[in-house]
Amino acid sequence: MEADRSQPLRILLVEDEPLVAMAIEDSLETQNVGVVGPAATVAEALDLIAEGGIDAALLDVTLRGERVDSVADALSARDIPFVFTTGHGAAGLPRNHQDRPVLTKPFREIEMNDAIDRYFRGAV
Protein backbone atom coordinates (compact mmCIF):
# COMPACT_ATOMS: atom_id res chain seq x y z
CA MET A 1 0.00 0.00 0.00
CA GLU A 2 1.36 3.41 -0.97
CA ALA A 3 1.37 6.19 1.64
CA ASP A 4 -1.04 9.04 0.91
CA ARG A 5 1.10 12.17 0.98
CA SER A 6 -1.52 14.34 -0.70
CA GLN A 7 -3.15 15.22 2.61
CA PRO A 8 -0.87 17.26 4.85
CA LEU A 9 -0.38 15.91 8.34
CA ARG A 10 0.00 18.15 11.38
CA ILE A 11 2.59 16.53 13.60
CA LEU A 12 3.39 17.75 17.10
CA LEU A 13 7.15 17.73 17.55
CA VAL A 14 8.17 17.28 21.18
CA GLU A 15 11.94 17.73 21.43
CA ASP A 16 14.07 19.77 23.84
CA GLU A 17 17.35 19.82 21.88
CA PRO A 18 17.11 22.86 19.55
CA LEU A 19 19.45 21.54 16.85
CA VAL A 20 17.71 18.15 16.78
CA ALA A 21 14.31 19.86 16.64
CA MET A 22 15.41 22.07 13.73
CA ALA A 23 16.75 19.09 11.77
CA ILE A 24 13.57 17.08 12.33
CA GLU A 25 11.40 20.08 11.45
CA ASP A 26 13.29 20.63 8.18
CA SER A 27 12.88 16.96 7.27
CA LEU A 28 9.18 16.95 8.10
CA GLU A 29 8.45 19.99 5.98
CA THR A 30 9.84 18.20 2.91
CA GLN A 31 7.32 15.38 3.52
CA ASN A 32 4.15 17.55 3.29
CA VAL A 33 3.96 17.71 7.07
CA GLY A 34 2.92 20.76 9.07
CA VAL A 35 4.94 20.97 12.27
CA VAL A 36 3.21 21.94 15.48
CA GLY A 37 5.79 23.19 17.97
CA PRO A 38 8.41 22.17 18.62
CA ALA A 39 7.54 21.82 22.28
CA ALA A 40 10.64 21.77 24.48
CA THR A 41 8.85 21.20 27.80
CA VAL A 42 6.04 18.99 29.06
CA ALA A 43 3.92 22.08 29.79
CA GLU A 44 4.35 23.39 26.22
CA ALA A 45 3.44 20.00 24.78
CA LEU A 46 0.32 19.72 26.93
CA ASP A 47 -0.75 23.25 25.93
CA LEU A 48 -0.35 22.43 22.23
CA ILE A 49 -2.32 19.20 22.62
CA ALA A 50 -5.11 21.10 24.39
CA GLU A 51 -5.27 23.57 21.47
CA GLY A 52 -6.02 20.66 19.13
CA GLY A 53 -5.47 20.33 15.41
CA ILE A 54 -2.83 17.61 15.77
CA ASP A 55 -2.89 14.46 13.67
CA ALA A 56 0.12 12.72 15.23
CA ALA A 57 3.22 13.33 17.34
CA LEU A 58 6.93 12.59 17.55
CA LEU A 59 7.67 12.44 21.25
CA ASP A 60 11.05 12.57 22.96
CA VAL A 61 10.92 10.59 26.21
CA THR A 62 12.70 13.11 28.44
CA LEU A 63 12.47 16.90 28.19
CA ARG A 64 14.97 18.85 30.28
CA GLY A 65 15.08 16.01 32.78
CA GLU A 66 11.29 15.63 32.97
CA ARG A 67 9.61 12.46 31.71
CA VAL A 68 6.82 12.84 29.14
CA ASP A 69 4.43 10.29 30.61
CA SER A 70 1.64 12.89 30.98
CA VAL A 71 2.11 13.97 27.34
CA ALA A 72 1.85 10.35 26.15
CA ASP A 73 -1.26 9.92 28.30
CA ALA A 74 -2.84 13.09 26.87
CA LEU A 75 -2.14 12.00 23.29
CA SER A 76 -3.48 8.52 23.96
CA ALA A 77 -6.66 9.90 25.60
CA ARG A 78 -7.35 11.85 22.39
CA ASP A 79 -6.54 8.86 20.14
CA ILE A 80 -3.64 10.76 18.57
CA PRO A 81 -1.00 8.32 17.31
CA PHE A 82 2.59 8.95 18.32
CA VAL A 83 6.07 7.56 17.99
CA PHE A 84 8.66 7.91 20.72
CA THR A 85 12.07 9.27 19.75
CA THR A 86 14.72 8.24 22.26
CA GLY A 87 18.23 7.04 22.68
CA HIS A 88 17.33 5.16 25.88
CA GLY A 89 15.60 2.17 24.31
CA ALA A 90 12.23 0.60 25.10
CA ALA A 91 13.10 0.22 28.79
CA GLY A 92 12.94 4.00 29.17
CA LEU A 93 9.40 4.33 27.81
CA PRO A 94 6.48 5.22 30.06
CA ARG A 95 5.09 2.03 31.60
CA ASN A 96 1.61 2.49 30.07
CA HIS A 97 3.02 3.03 26.58
CA GLN A 98 5.70 0.36 26.18
CA ASP A 99 3.88 -1.03 23.15
CA ARG A 100 4.26 2.22 21.18
CA PRO A 101 6.63 2.45 18.22
CA VAL A 102 10.10 3.86 18.82
CA LEU A 103 12.57 5.70 16.60
CA THR A 104 15.95 5.13 18.21
CA LYS A 105 18.18 8.21 18.27
CA PRO A 106 20.15 8.98 16.34
CA PHE A 107 17.83 8.08 13.46
CA ARG A 108 18.11 8.84 9.78
CA GLU A 109 15.60 10.87 7.82
CA ILE A 110 14.51 7.79 5.85
CA GLU A 111 13.74 5.95 9.10
CA MET A 112 11.60 8.86 10.31
CA ASN A 113 9.78 9.08 6.97
CA ASP A 114 9.13 5.32 7.04
CA ALA A 115 7.72 5.60 10.58
CA ILE A 116 5.45 8.48 9.54
CA ASP A 117 4.18 6.52 6.54
CA ARG A 118 3.65 3.37 8.58
CA TYR A 119 2.16 4.71 11.79
CA PHE A 120 0.52 7.98 10.73
CA ARG A 121 -0.42 7.51 7.08
CA GLY A 122 -1.35 3.85 7.23
CA ALA A 123 1.13 2.52 4.70
CA VAL A 124 2.26 -1.05 5.23
Side-chain angles (χ1 to χ4, degrees), residues 12-16 18 21-22 25 35-41 44-45 48:
L12 171 63
L13 176 56
V14 181
E15 173 60 59
D16 63 340
M22 286 189 319
E25 190 171 8
V35 177
V36 179
T41 67
E44 288 174 1
L48 290 169

Side-chain angles (χ1 to χ4, degrees), residues 1-121:
M1 172 192 241
E2 185 105 1
D4 180 7
R5 293 179 188 233
S6 64
Q7 295 298 317
L9 286 172
R10 290 189 37 86
I11 294 180
L12 171 63
L13 176 56
V14 181
E15 173 60 59
D16 63 340
E17 294 293 332
L19 292 177
V20 173
M22 286 189 319
I24 293 172
E25 190 171 8
D26 288 345
S27 294
L28 290 173
E29 288 173 351
T30 67
Q31 298 300 315
N32 197 25
V33 171
V35 177
V36 179
T41 67
V42 168
E44 288 174 1
L46 292 172
D47 286 346
L48 290 169
I49 293 167
E51 288 175 19
I54 297 168
D55 298 311
L58 293 174
L59 181 59
D60 192 1
V61 174
T62 307
L63 301 174
R64 299 181 182 165
E66 186 176 3
R67 291 185 48 87
V68 296
D69 299 42
S70 60
V71 177
D73 291 343
L75 290 166
S76 182
R78 289 165 178 79
D79 292 322
I80 298 171
F82 59 94
V83 172
F84 286 110
T85 61
T86 183
H88 301 292
L93 299 181
R95 179 162 290 154
N96 294 338
H97 301 284
Q98 300 231 336
D99 60 334
R100 298 287 179 165
V102 176
L103 270 172
T104 302
K105 288 180 177 176
F107 52 83
R108 298 178 320 192
E109 183 175 357
I110 193 166
E111 294 168 324
M112 180 183 67
N113 294 341
D114 287 347
I116 289 168
D117 287 345
R118 176 180 215 162
Y119 300 112
F120 304 157
R121 290 190 169 118

